[in-house]
Amino acid sequence: MSDFQALIECESFTGDPEALARSAHLISRIGTGLLGSAPRIIETDSRPHLLWRFGSGPRKVVLIGHHDTVWPTGTLETFPYSVSDGVVRGPGTDDMKGGLLIALYALAGLRFQRGNLDGVSLLITADEELGSPGSRRIIEDEARGARAALVFESGAPDGAVKIARKGVAIYSLEVTGRAAHAGVEPEKGINSTLEVANQVVRIAALHDPSAGTSVVPTVMHSGSTTNTVPAEAKVGIDSRAATVEEQTRIDEILTSLKPTVAGAKVKVKGGINRAPLEQKMAMGLYARAQRLASTLGHPPLRSVAVGGGSDGNFTAGIGTPTLDGLGTVGGGSHARTEHALQLWIPRRVELTRALVGELLAED
């Protein structure tokens, strides 16, 4: 059985600690065989993160991935691992078990060439699909001061790497009113549905695609029965921004919202989850990767900016140059069409090996 098949068939749903433990054990076994040493296992909230740290000096290059997936345990029964016409399919194929193997095999090849991997860290986390609540500090601590953070989320369908990601902020606006009989004495109530509706209009008006900013009211609940003035309401808000300045501006507006209905109270919970991976944090590494890809005879390496966040947002947010999308090339992440193209896997291994090797060689 190939390592890729073994990883896919070892399900690792982000909400299943036992599955994550099995996955961590398998990755540890594969990685130990390839890299010559076992990882340190760091648990947060019963989720196992794996850290290989080579050498005792400062970190020069940090490689980052995650082994948790969005796929519930048992998905393999209806969406099994398969390979056909150069396309690998299965849950977690593109997001991002293929990317983990690219990182591992690239480091194994580099270790053979150099004799050691001093200055390199490889961190594989177990809670990225939840927003990395337990691993964020580990990621930031490991990447702080490094020359480069390389992230093995999937690339674009044409092989482009990801040089920018929007920052992500998640909020919950909660409204408190006062219940009253809607037919008998509605004037004694404070209508939380009316208040939350007014706030939704305000929030939606912040949406500005021309600035790369999205502010989207999402899940909403209010009231209890049709004949009662609703006392409570809540709406979720998903906000994404291309720059730190824009993200901060939106955050300040949302966290200072005031009620519009007399007597109503509003409270905003949540906040910024990931700062943006701004393009300026990736361009040096991207230019280097372009040059190396050309030297290796690969197709021209392109770039793309995307709206979704990754752990690369954290590394860029602390000032570490970051290049994302170095994992598999395929598509369909989080969907039954998830797949990876075999043709691109050796290319990504070669590119990663060359990129890490060059970074390590610099004084």
Side-chain angles (χ1 to χ4, degrees), residues 11 52 82 106 109 127 158 181 191 196 201 211 228 287 296 307 316 332 337 355:
E11 295 180 291
W52 277 270
S82 67
D127 62 354
D158 64 351
H181 196 294
N191 195 320
V196 79
V201 173
T228 302
L296 291 166
T337 54
L355 182 56

Side-chain angles (χ1 to χ4, degrees), residues 1 4-13 19 22 26 69 71-82 89-93 97 336:
M1 179 186 293
F4 205 173
Q5 181 176 355
L7 281 184
I8 298 302
E9 293 185 346
C10 184
E11 295 180 291
S12 53
F13 176 45
R22 291 191 293 270
L26 175 61
T69 77
W71 296 99
T73 304
T75 298
L76 279 170
E77 295 178 9
T78 55
F79 184 30
Y81 169 88
S82 67
R89 295 181 174 84
T93 304
K97 294 187 176 185
R336 294 271 171 164

Side-chain angles (χ1 to χ4, degrees), residues 14-271:
T14 194
D16 186 341
E18 292 183 359
L20 289 171
R22 291 191 293 270
S23 173
H25 178 77
L26 175 61
I27 294 168
S28 176
R29 180 175 61 78
I30 293 172
T32 299
L34 289 170
L35 303 178
S37 63
R40 176 186 171 197
I41 306 295
I42 307 169
E43 284 203 4
T44 61
D45 302 319
S46 299
R47 291 184 170 86
H49 317 295
L50 300 92
L51 175 62
W52 277 270
R53 205 170 200 272
F54 300 95
S56 57
R59 299 299 85 190
K60 295 180 180 179
V61 186
V62 178
L63 289 73
I64 299 171
H66 65 89
H67 68 107
D68 61 316
T69 77
V70 300
W71 296 99
T73 304
T75 298
L76 279 170
E77 295 178 9
T78 55
F79 184 30
Y81 169 88
S82 67
V83 183
S84 177
D85 297 325
V87 180
V88 185
R89 295 181 174 84
T93 304
D94 203 40
D95 185 18
M96 58 169 291
K97 294 187 176 185
L100 301 183
L101 289 175
I102 288 169
L104 284 165
Y105 273 83
L107 291 182
L110 188 60
R111 173 174 171 256
F112 179 79
Q113 288 178 353
R114 290 173 52 90
N116 68 72
L117 293 169
D118 290 357
V120 173
S121 287
L122 170 61
L123 175 61
I124 299 175
T125 66
D127 62 354
E128 193 275 344
E129 298 294 358
L130 299 175
S132 309
S135 62
R136 176 176 181 171
R137 180 174 295 182
I138 304 168
I139 294 165
E140 292 177 340
D141 287 348
E142 202 63 23
R144 189 170 284 108
R147 295 175 181 172
L150 307 178
V151 183
F152 289 81
E153 295 285 356
S154 58
D158 64 351
V161 292
K162 296 173 180 178
I163 59 169
R165 287 182 178 272
K166 289 185 179 181
V168 180
I170 302 170
Y171 304 89
S172 174
L173 184 144
E174 300 178 358
V175 176
T176 302
R178 184 170 63 231
H181 196 294
V184 178
E185 45 188 9
E187 68 282 356
K188 293 186 177 180
I190 299 173
N191 195 320
S192 65
T193 294
L194 179 58
E195 177 62 43
V196 79
N198 291 342
Q199 295 293 348
V200 164
V201 173
R202 280 182 169 183
I203 292 163
L206 298 172
H207 189 76
D208 184 3
S210 66
T213 301
S214 63
V215 186
V216 182
T218 56
V219 179
M220 186 166 72
H221 302 282
S222 66
S224 55
T225 66
T226 56
N227 60 353
T228 302
V229 175
E232 295 180 347
K234 180 187 295 186
V235 62
I237 306 161
D238 182 294
S239 176
R240 309 199 178 212
T243 66
V244 172
E245 291 77 14
E246 183 68 356
Q247 187 178 53
T248 301
R249 184 183 74 85
I250 296 297
D251 181 75
E252 290 174 351
I253 293 172
L254 291 177
T255 55
S256 61
L257 289 172
K258 304 297 182 185
T260 61
V261 174
K265 297 178 181 179
V266 299
K267 179 186 292 185
V268 176
K269 296 182 177 179

